[in-house]
Amino acid sequence: MSYLELKREAYEANMELQRRNLIIYTWGNVSQIDRAKGVMAIKPSGVPYEELLPEHMVIVDMENNIVEGQMRPSSDTKTHTHLYRHFETIGGVTHTHSTYATAWAQAQVSIPCFGTTHADFAYGEIPCTAVMSDEQIERDYEEETGVQITDAFAGKNPDEVPMVIVAGHAPFTWGKDAAKSVYHAVVLEEIARMAYLTKTLNTQQASLKQGILEKHYQRKHGKNAYYGQS
Amino acid sequence: MSYLELKREAYEANMELQRRNLIIYTWGNVSQIDRAKGVMAIKPSGVPYEELLPEHMVIVDMENNIVEGQMRPSSDTKTHTHLYRHFETIGGVTHTHSTYATAWAQAQVSIPCFGTTHADFAYGEIPCTAVMSDEQIERDYEEETGVQITDAFAGKNPDEVPMVIVAGHAPFTWGKDAAKSVYHAVVLEEIARMAYLTKTLNTQQASLKQGILEKHYQRKHGKNAYYGQS
Amino acid sequence: MSYLELKREAYEANMELQRRNLIIYTWGNVSQIDRAKGVMAIKPSGVPYEELLPEHMVIVDMENNIVEGQMRPSSDTKTHTHLYRHFETIGGVTHTHSTYATAWAQAQVSIPCFGTTHADFAYGEIPCTAVMSDEQIERDYEEETGVQITDAFAGKNPDEVPMVIVAGHAPFTWGKDAAKSVYHAVVLEEIARMAYLTKTLNTQQASLKQGILEKHYQRKHGKNAYYGQS
Amino acid sequence: MSYLELKREAYEANMELQRRNLIIYTWGNVSQIDRAKGVMAIKPSGVPYEELLPEHMVIVDMENNIVEGQMRPSSDTKTHTHLYRHFETIGGVTHTHSTYATAWAQAQVSIPCFGTTHADFAYGEIPCTAVMSDEQIERDYEEETGVQITDAFAGKNPDEVPMVIVAGHAPFTWGKDAAKSVYHAVVLEEIARMAYLTKTLNTQQASLKQGILEKHYQRKHGKNAYYGQS
């Protein structure tokens, strides 16, 4: 894939965030990686979506060096590259401050799996990271945000739960490409909203029983999946 | 009614789900039955509403055999046919993951009748099914989802309460045709939203008194109904 | 004002309900009275807003007789005429099932005046009527709904609080004409929403102090009002 | 800047309030100051946004005298001039009754800093003013609203927290010009909404730790800021 194509894919995914009402102003960013070339295209920092163009996308390598582009890349660049380096199967990363997912992040608790809507997309709870230590903040805040996320996934398969909430901050989601990571950002916001409503209806609500979680996840994503067209 | 007409009715009802903002992506499906022919037209599995066409609808008989169509039918097909076999007066079925109705399903409680908006459409609470047993999940999940629903309606008239929430999952609604089942899906979501707000304002709120429920239901649906144009 | 003009005013006010997202389907009705002629124009019963035309409006006198019109008037007609007979200064009445106002009605409590947004339009709490007795329901439900409202306003000036919630049911609002009654329906929904949020943030929240309520109400509606253009 | 230009800037900022869905009817007002000339342009009182034109803006000096304009200025004019006189770095002021910010104002508590979305724009909690005394209401209500605000900022830098909620009333925001004050009104509403959701998920939720607040505020606004394009 050429840099031009990579930029266009990243651009289209960024614009989809706005169409889906997940962001206001500059509050989000999407990237897509080309693993063969070892670079990603990412949104420039602080540019309003209304003014964004495909050529504004910045090409950055996995050591956070700018390879091509006139603008400064997203201030969250190091979090994106950290995720690409550690989650080897993913091709796109999305960061938003979508309302309900951010509220759970601010409440600093994982989002329980309360129903099949959740189980259709994530195998179990959406983890909330630990709160960052002062040492980490000092060291390299955006890199350490990535560390918080990969620590929260120790022993977990990021393909089975393609989303996380960072304590006190906001969500990150991922997928096989930029478009799929945005899709998961939309799904997460709706899951987070339903979970908020469930929790405020019944603060003691237990998670969905394992059998139904298993069934729904596997009928969509298991080796004998029968959802969708083959 | 020809298969072509049946498909078109089912298609239009599916598209109405999107116009009414009850679904995102592929999260819902609507069917309509032709009782004379013993077949229904239903949405294909996993096709986004943006891409859906009338000819994509699949004709399926009441034993879940595909009669006509190139695509795999909705993964919830067996739940639809189960409902048509057991609720003999209904002509259309809708399944969504609409936000507030799903939140009640996740909280695993029936939606109480708190007011006349509810009583205008459903004679008493909207039942929540039992949680499915592991044996049922193993046996035939989608068929058993139908069983959960018909069990919840033992001794009840599905024409008087044309809607249900499946525990840990989401709502199903029905009506005399596909369009009316979608209408009930829209109504249920608004009833569920009002009930959520009422319950969070006063967790001890009692149901509407029987006399007002009776009056509102009967003035619209009773034999001396005087609502609407005759 | 001719019947034609009266119908047109009522029609426009009804359509405004839809533009302001206060209703779905047929869930509301607006009327306007011509006091000189002793008649009102009101929406016909059960007609969807999408299909409504000015000529559908029904002219009804204050004893609920149809004076002109091909259609059956709103099933809430007797509530409207009751209000016109008892609140002599009003010229328009609106009934909706708007979400937040209805939630308060279902919770069967008056909406406290928590802030200046409320005080700008209503002098003190929005009263919730008593729950209707079985005898009243039997006697004449829609007329008695009017009685519930006028009973709730005993000793109160309906011009100072141009809105009410009927217990277990939904809101009614009024004003100098149909358009103003719709305006008050929009205002009530927003007041009800803010009050819901306030109450769920702090269940013990006290009402706004009397001095600020007084100030805000009087600067807009008092004899020395200085809000707006003179 | 000519009066014409000043009016146009104030007009555009006022209209942006409507586009961002922060106001209904006449419920808000924006002004912009020309410090060299010692005058501001402000929205006229009680004029619906649908009818507003640039030439309706009123030019008012810092002692609240009308310098140019046919219409009566906003009833909140004295609050605006008070803020300009006391916060010397600001160039625009916005007042709305946006839903979630108003709910916090009605609950009469400051909005805690629960997350980085908040920290990106305000250095610490959004202060809620004291409730106004009866003496203040009697003396000069709108001037005293300004006093409540500047009292709440004693020892605080209004550039670091460009927003406030007035107890029992609603928010005011400010910025380097009218457009930026509207931007802060949009941001405040979203912060207030997220804080509401966080607080209702966990009523005991603590504020964001100081280190993260510091980091986020400084990376956007500090002397070594690296957010956005330089």
Side-chain angles (χ1 to χ4, degrees):
Chain A
M1 190 179 279
S2 70
Y3 287 177
L4 198 68
E5 287 172 296
L6 193 64
K7 286 178 181 178
R8 184 160 290 277
E9 300 261 318
Y11 167 77
E12 290 294 345
N14 271 287
M15 295 309 285
E16 175 76 355
L17 275 190
Q18 188 175 55
R19 278 191 296 269
R20 293 284 177 172
N21 294 313
L22 286 199
I23 48 118
I24 56 171
Y25 298 122
T26 64
W27 299 14
N29 45 71
V30 186
S31 71
Q32 180 163 318
I33 192 173
D34 180 332
R35 294 227 173 239
K37 296 203 167 76
V39 299
M40 68 175 181
I42 191 167
K43 184 180 174 292
S45 181
V47 176
Y49 279 90
E50 290 78 2
E51 302 169 13
L52 201 63
L53 296 172
E55 54 265 36
H56 292 157
M57 298 295 118
V58 189
I59 302 289
V60 179
D61 71 18
M62 290 304 107
E63 285 73 46
N64 303 303
N65 302 303
I66 297 178
V67 174
E68 185 180 287
Q70 305 298 316
M71 303 185 102
R72 190 186 288 177
S74 166
S75 56
D76 299 308
T77 290
K78 287 181 179 174
T79 313
H80 288 244
T81 54
H82 182 93
L83 291 178
Y84 287 125
R85 288 197 313 269
H86 291 78
F87 294 164
E88 298 179 4
T89 56
I90 69 175
V93 171
T94 293
H95 171 50
T96 77
H97 288 236
S98 69
T99 312
Y100 284 86
T102 301
W104 281 95
Q106 292 188 160
Q108 304 184 359
V109 285
S110 300
I111 304 176
C113 178
F114 284 136
T116 63
T117 320
H118 182 129
D120 279 341
F121 295 96
Y123 188 71
E125 68 176 21
I126 313 299
C128 182
T129 69
V131 175
M132 207 182 281
S133 70
D134 289 343
E135 291 69 30
Q136 289 180 294
I137 298 169
E138 278 302 304
R139 204 181 306 147
D140 191 336
Y141 178 71
E142 289 82 8
E143 178 71 36
E144 295 296 330
T145 298
V147 173
Q148 297 289 88
I149 296 172
T150 48
D151 282 357
F153 273 76
K156 283 190 176 153
N157 181 347
D159 292 336
E160 290 182 350
V161 181
M163 42 190 77
V164 71
I165 51 178
V166 177
H169 187 173
F172 282 82
T173 58
W174 47 84
K176 70 177 170 59
D177 54 22
K180 200 62 184 266
S181 70
V182 170
Y183 177 82
H184 286 145
V186 176
V187 167
L188 170 56
E189 180 62 7
E190 185 62 16
I191 287 173
R193 191 174 165 219
M194 286 174 175
Y196 169 83
L197 296 174
T198 305
K199 185 80 177 171
T200 48
L201 267 178
N202 178 5
T203 56
Q204 303 306 314
Q205 182 61 45
S207 295
L208 187 65
K209 64 184 281 186
Q210 182 63 21
I212 300 178
L213 162 59
E214 192 73 29
K215 176 69 189 177
H216 265 262
Y217 188 76
Q218 299 302 344
R219 80 173 190 168
K220 268 192 107 159
H221 307 283
K223 61 174 181 244
N224 296 314
Y226 55 92
Y227 181 91
Q229 305 299 322
S230 52
Chain B
M1 191 179 279
S2 69
Y3 287 177
L4 197 69
E5 286 172 297
L6 193 64
K7 286 179 181 179
R8 184 160 290 278
E9 300 262 316
Y11 168 77
E12 290 295 344
N14 271 287
M15 296 309 286
E16 175 76 355
L17 276 190
Q18 187 174 58
R19 280 191 295 270
R20 293 282 178 174
N21 294 314
L22 286 200
I23 48 120
I24 56 171
Y25 299 121
T26 64
W27 301 13
N29 44 71
V30 186
S31 69
Q32 179 163 319
I33 192 173
D34 180 331
R35 294 225 173 241
K37 294 202 168 77
V39 299
M40 69 175 181
I42 191 166
K43 183 180 174 296
S45 181
V47 176
Y49 279 90
E50 290 78 2
E51 303 169 12
L52 201 62
L53 296 173
E55 53 265 37
H56 292 157
M57 298 296 120
V58 188
I59 302 289
V60 178
D61 71 20
M62 289 304 107
E63 284 73 45
N64 302 304
N65 303 302
I66 298 180
V67 174
E68 186 180 284
Q70 305 298 317
M71 303 185 100
R72 191 186 287 179
S74 166
S75 56
D76 299 308
T77 290
K78 287 180 179 173
T79 313
H80 287 245
T81 54
H82 181 93
L83 292 177
Y84 287 126
R85 288 197 313 268
H86 290 78
F87 293 166
E88 297 180 4
T89 55
I90 68 175
V93 171
T94 293
H95 172 50
T96 78
H97 288 235
S98 69
T99 312
Y100 284 87
T102 301
W104 280 96
Q106 292 188 161
Q108 304 184 359
V109 285
S110 300
I111 304 176
C113 179
F114 285 136
T116 64
T117 320
H118 182 129
D120 279 341
F121 295 95
Y123 188 71
E125 69 177 19
I126 313 298
C128 182
T129 68
V131 176
M132 206 182 281
S133 70
D134 290 342
E135 291 69 32
Q136 288 180 295
I137 298 169
E138 278 302 304
R139 204 180 306 145
D140 190 337
Y141 177 71
E142 290 80 9
E143 178 71 35
E144 295 296 329
T145 298
V147 172
Q148 297 291 87
I149 296 173
T150 48
D151 282 358
F153 273 76
K156 282 189 176 155
N157 180 347
D159 291 336
E160 290 182 350
V161 182
M163 42 189 77
V164 72
I165 51 178
V166 177
H169 187 171
F172 282 82
T173 59
W174 48 84
K176 71 178 170 57
D177 53 22
K180 200 61 185 267
S181 71
V182 170
Y183 177 83
H184 287 144
V186 176
V187 166
L188 170 56
E189 180 63 6
E190 185 62 17
I191 287 173
R193 191 173 165 219
M194 288 174 173
Y196 170 83
L197 297 172
T198 305
K199 184 79 178 172
T200 48
L201 267 177
N202 178 3
T203 56
Q204 304 305 314
Q205 182 61 44
S207 295
L208 186 66
K209 66 184 280 187
Q210 181 63 21
I212 300 178
L213 161 59
E214 192 73 29
K215 176 68 188 177
H216 265 261
Y217 189 77
Q218 299 303 342
R219 79 174 189 167
K220 269 193 106 159
H221 305 282
K223 61 174 181 244
N224 297 315
Y226 53 91
Y227 181 91
Q229 305 298 322
S230 49
Chain C
M1 191 177 281
S2 69
Y3 287 177
L4 197 67
E5 286 171 296
L6 192 64
K7 287 179 181 179
R8 183 160 292 280
E9 300 261 315
Y11 168 77
E12 290 295 345
N14 271 287
M15 296 309 285
E16 175 76 355
L17 276 191
Q18 188 174 55
R19 280 190 296 270
R20 291 283 177 175
N21 294 315
L22 286 199
I23 47 120
I24 56 170
Y25 300 121
T26 64
W27 301 13
N29 44 71
V30 186
S31 70
Q32 179 163 320
I33 191 172
D34 180 332
R35 294 224 173 242
K37 294 201 168 76
V39 299
M40 69 175 181
I42 191 166
K43 182 178 174 296
S45 181
V47 176
Y49 279 90
E50 290 79 1
E51 303 169 13
L52 201 63
L53 295 173
E55 54 265 37
H56 292 158
M57 298 295 119
V58 188
I59 301 290
V60 178
D61 71 19
M62 288 305 108
E63 285 74 44
N64 303 304
N65 303 303
I66 297 179
V67 173
E68 186 181 287
Q70 305 299 316
M71 302 184 103
R72 191 187 285 179
S74 166
S75 56
D76 300 307
T77 289
K78 287 180 178 174
T79 313
H80 287 246
T81 54
H82 182 93
L83 293 177
Y84 287 125
R85 289 196 313 267
H86 290 77
F87 293 167
E88 297 179 4
T89 56
I90 69 176
V93 171
T94 293
H95 171 49
T96 77
H97 287 237
S98 69
T99 312
Y100 284 86
T102 301
W104 280 96
Q106 293 188 159
Q108 305 185 359
V109 286
S110 299
I111 304 175
C113 179
F114 284 135
T116 64
T117 319
H118 182 129
D120 279 340
F121 295 96
Y123 187 72
E125 67 175 21
I126 313 299
C128 182
T129 69
V131 175
M132 207 181 282
S133 70
D134 289 342
E135 292 68 33
Q136 288 180 296
I137 298 169
E138 278 300 305
R139 206 180 304 147
D140 190 337
Y141 178 72
E142 289 80 10
E143 178 71 35
E144 295 296 329
T145 298
V147 172
Q148 297 290 86
I149 296 173
T150 48
D151 282 357
F153 273 77
K156 282 189 176 153
N157 181 346
D159 292 336
E160 290 182 351
V161 181
M163 43 189 74
V164 71
I165 50 177
V166 177
H169 188 170
F172 282 81
T173 59
W174 48 83
K176 70 177 171 57
D177 54 22
K180 200 60 183 269
S181 70
V182 170
Y183 176 82
H184 286 143
V186 176
V187 167
L188 170 56
E189 180 62 6
E190 186 61 16
I191 288 173
R193 191 174 164 216
M194 288 174 173
Y196 170 84
L197 296 172
T198 305
K199 185 79 177 172
T200 48
L201 267 177
N202 178 3
T203 55
Q204 303 305 314
Q205 182 61 44
S207 295
L208 187 66
K209 66 184 282 188
Q210 182 62 22
I212 300 178
L213 162 60
E214 192 73 28
K215 178 67 188 177
H216 265 261
Y217 189 78
Q218 299 302 343
R219 82 175 187 167
K220 269 193 106 158
H221 306 282
K223 62 175 182 243
N224 297 315
Y226 54 93
Y227 180 91
Q229 305 299 323
S230 50
Chain D
M1 192 178 279
S2 69
Y3 287 176
L4 198 68
E5 286 171 297
L6 193 64
K7 286 179 181 179
R8 183 159 292 279
E9 301 261 317
Y11 168 76
E12 290 295 344
N14 271 287
M15 296 308 286
E16 175 76 354
L17 275 191
Q18 188 175 56
R19 279 190 295 269
R20 293 284 178 173
N21 294 314
L22 286 198
I23 48 120
I24 57 170
Y25 298 121
T26 63
W27 300 14
N29 45 71
V30 186
S31 70
Q32 180 164 316
I33 192 172
D34 180 331
R35 294 226 174 241
K37 294 201 168 77
V39 299
M40 70 175 179
I42 191 167
K43 183 179 174 294
S45 181
V47 176
Y49 279 90
E50 291 79 1
E51 303 169 13
L52 201 63
L53 294 172
E55 54 265 36
H56 293 157
M57 298 295 118
V58 188
I59 302 290
V60 178
D61 71 19
M62 288 305 107
E63 285 73 45
N64 303 305
N65 302 303
I66 297 179
V67 174
E68 186 181 287
Q70 304 300 316
M71 301 184 101
R72 190 187 288 178
S74 167
S75 57
D76 299 307
T77 289
K78 288 180 177 173
T79 313
H80 287 245
T81 54
H82 182 92
L83 292 177
Y84 287 126
R85 289 197 312 269
H86 290 79
F87 294 165
E88 298 180 4
T89 56
I90 69 175
V93 171
T94 293
H95 171 49
T96 77
H97 287 236
S98 69
T99 312
Y100 284 86
T102 301
W104 281 96
Q106 293 188 159
Q108 305 185 0
V109 285
S110 299
I111 304 176
C113 179
F114 285 135
T116 63
T117 320
H118 182 130
D120 279 340
F121 295 96
Y123 188 72
E125 67 177 20
I126 313 300
C128 181
T129 69
V131 175
M132 206 181 281
S133 70
D134 290 343
E135 292 68 31
Q136 288 179 295
I137 298 168
E138 278 301 304
R139 205 180 305 145
D140 190 338
Y141 178 72
E142 289 80 12
E143 179 69 36
E144 295 296 331
T145 299
V147 173
Q148 297 289 87
I149 296 173
T150 48
D151 282 358
F153 274 76
K156 284 191 174 149
N157 181 345
D159 292 336
E160 289 181 352
V161 181
M163 42 189 77
V164 71
I165 50 178
V166 177
H169 188 173
F172 282 81
T173 59
W174 46 84
K176 70 178 171 57
D177 54 22
K180 200 61 183 268
S181 71
V182 170
Y183 177 82
H184 286 145
V186 176
V187 167
L188 170 56
E189 180 61 7
E190 185 62 16
I191 287 174
R193 192 173 164 217
M194 286 175 175
Y196 170 83
L197 296 173
T198 305
K199 185 77 177 173
T200 47
L201 268 178
N202 178 3
T203 56
Q204 303 305 314
Q205 182 61 43
S207 294
L208 187 66
K209 65 183 282 187
Q210 182 63 21
I212 300 178
L213 162 59
E214 192 72 29
K215 177 67 189 178
H216 265 261
Y217 189 77
Q218 298 303 343
R219 81 174 188 167
K220 268 193 107 159
H221 307 282
K223 63 173 180 246
N224 297 316
Y226 54 93
Y227 181 91
Q229 305 298 324
S230 51

